[in-house]
């Protein structure tokens, strides 16, 4: 468990996510099922929840394991959900992420996508791990409510996609408010530094921009995604 908590490579290879805190455990149980393992500190035994295996650790040992500056007293291990990938699914709303490498940004993007009614998130091979502890904390576990696909060759996936493909760009782009979303669409958002790759921009039917005041270089990728996704049409609240 200590190795999994300390090493993103170990978590990725084992396809395990760390669920630290009652909220993440609850989200996992609601959308995925019981975690494989739950561990609590002695001081928090009342928090012990159903799991494949359950352990109580001394407070000092639990605190040494915890990845938080203020440990919650409970954490779990769960298998990363595996969704079937099918780019041909009709009426699909997709957020495609091209090498978004900051776990906090990725987590916020996943949380925003879940709130805005996105069906699937496609992460390119150089994106941050969608199930890393920092990503899970930033998303509040909302990736469990989505179909998240990692290591996706975005160009290849888009060959089979049945819908409109748009991407954000700084140049030769249309004001997003002048574009009307169809029933099925894929929005491509790029990395924090480089933006959407030229190859993906060439594949997009339309390049969109968010007008900004002079002197402002860019918006945070998660903030920009929130504006665009709700413009495309968020969930019906009626």
């Amino acid at each position: 468990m200590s190795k999994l908590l300390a090493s993103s490579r170990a978590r990725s290879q084992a396809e395990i996510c760390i669920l630290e805190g009652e909220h993440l455990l609850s989200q996992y149980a609601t959308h995925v099922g019981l975690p494989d393992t739950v561990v609590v500190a002695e001081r928090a035994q009342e928090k012990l929840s159903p799991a494949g295996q359950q352990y109580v650790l001394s407070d000092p040992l639990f605190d040494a394991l915890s990845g938080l500056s203020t440990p919650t007293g409970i954490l779990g291990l769960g298998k990363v959900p595996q969704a079937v990938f099918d780019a041909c699914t009709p009426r699909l709303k997709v957020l495609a992420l091209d090498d978004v490498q900051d776990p906090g940004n990725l987590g916020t993007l996943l949380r925003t996508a879940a709130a805005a009614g996105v069906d699937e998130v496609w992460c390119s091979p150089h994106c941050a791990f969608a199930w890393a502890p920092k990503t899970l904390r930033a998303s509040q576990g909302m990736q469990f409510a989505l179909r998240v696909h990692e290591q996706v060759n975005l160009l290849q996936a888009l060959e089979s996609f049945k819908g409109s493909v748009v991407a954000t760009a700084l140049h030769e782009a249309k004001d997003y408010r002048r574009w009307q979303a169809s029933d099925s669409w894929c929005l491509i958002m790029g990395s924090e530094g480089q933006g959407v790759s030229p190859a993906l921009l060439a594949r997009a039917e339309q390049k969109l921009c968010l007008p900004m005041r002079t002197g402002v270089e860019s918006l945070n990728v998660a903030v920009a995604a929130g504006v665009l996704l709700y413009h495309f049409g968020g969930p019906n609240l009626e």
Side-chain angles (χ1 to χ4, degrees), residues 4-5 11 16-20 24 75-77 131 133 136:
L4 288 170
L5 282 160
R11 291 190 298 270
I16 290 289
C17 51
I18 306 296
L19 310 162
E20 185 142 18
L24 288 181
L75 63 84
L77 303 179
W131 314 98
L136 285 164

Side-chain angles (χ1 to χ4, degrees), residues 32-223:
V32 183
L34 293 181
D36 296 334
T37 304
V38 168
V39 175
V40 298
E42 282 184 312
R43 64 177 179 273
Q45 291 186 56
E46 74 281 356
K47 294 183 178 180
L48 199 62
S49 60
Q53 300 180 63
Q54 301 169 308
Y55 299 96
V56 178
L57 301 183
S58 67
D59 291 344
L61 181 55
F62 183 94
D63 292 347
L65 276 176
S66 175
L68 302 179
S69 56
T70 306
T72 63
I74 182 170
L75 63 84
L77 303 179
K79 282 289 186 182
V80 170
Q82 300 294 332
V84 176
F85 185 78
D86 182 4
C88 296
T89 303
R91 300 176 67 86
L92 198 62
K93 296 176 175 60
V94 176
L95 175 62
L97 303 177
D98 183 23
D99 296 356
V100 175
Q101 298 174 344
D102 182 271
N105 279 342
L106 179 56
T108 305
L109 282 160
L110 293 170
R111 184 177 181 180
T112 303
V118 168
D119 299 311
E120 297 189 358
V121 177
W122 299 350
C123 300
S124 71
H126 295 293
C127 279
F129 185 41
W131 314 98
K134 186 175 181 180
T135 312
L136 285 164
R137 289 196 294 273
S139 72
Q140 289 291 291
M142 282 295 98
Q143 55 263 72
F144 299 130
L146 292 164
R147 296 192 296 274
V148 180
H149 302 283
E150 296 189 287
Q151 303 294 317
V152 177
N153 182 320
L154 297 180
L155 279 173
Q156 184 176 325
L158 289 172
E159 290 180 3
S160 304
F161 183 71
K162 309 298 183 185
S164 301
V165 178
V166 295
T168 53
L170 294 176
H171 306 291
E172 299 179 356
K174 175 188 291 188
D175 185 327
Y176 78 95
R177 291 167 294 190
R178 295 167 53 200
W179 189 78
Q180 185 65 42
S182 60
D183 289 339
S184 182
W185 48 260
C186 176
L187 168 64
I188 309 171
M189 304 290 296
S191 66
E192 296 84 348
Q194 301 300 317
V196 177
S197 69
L200 286 169
L201 283 177
R203 172 62 182 82
E205 300 165 19
Q206 180 64 58
K207 292 183 285 187
L208 302 178
C209 67
L210 285 81
M212 291 175 286
R213 179 179 293 176
T214 302
V216 178
E217 181 179 343
S218 64
L219 288 172
N220 173 277
V221 63
V223 172

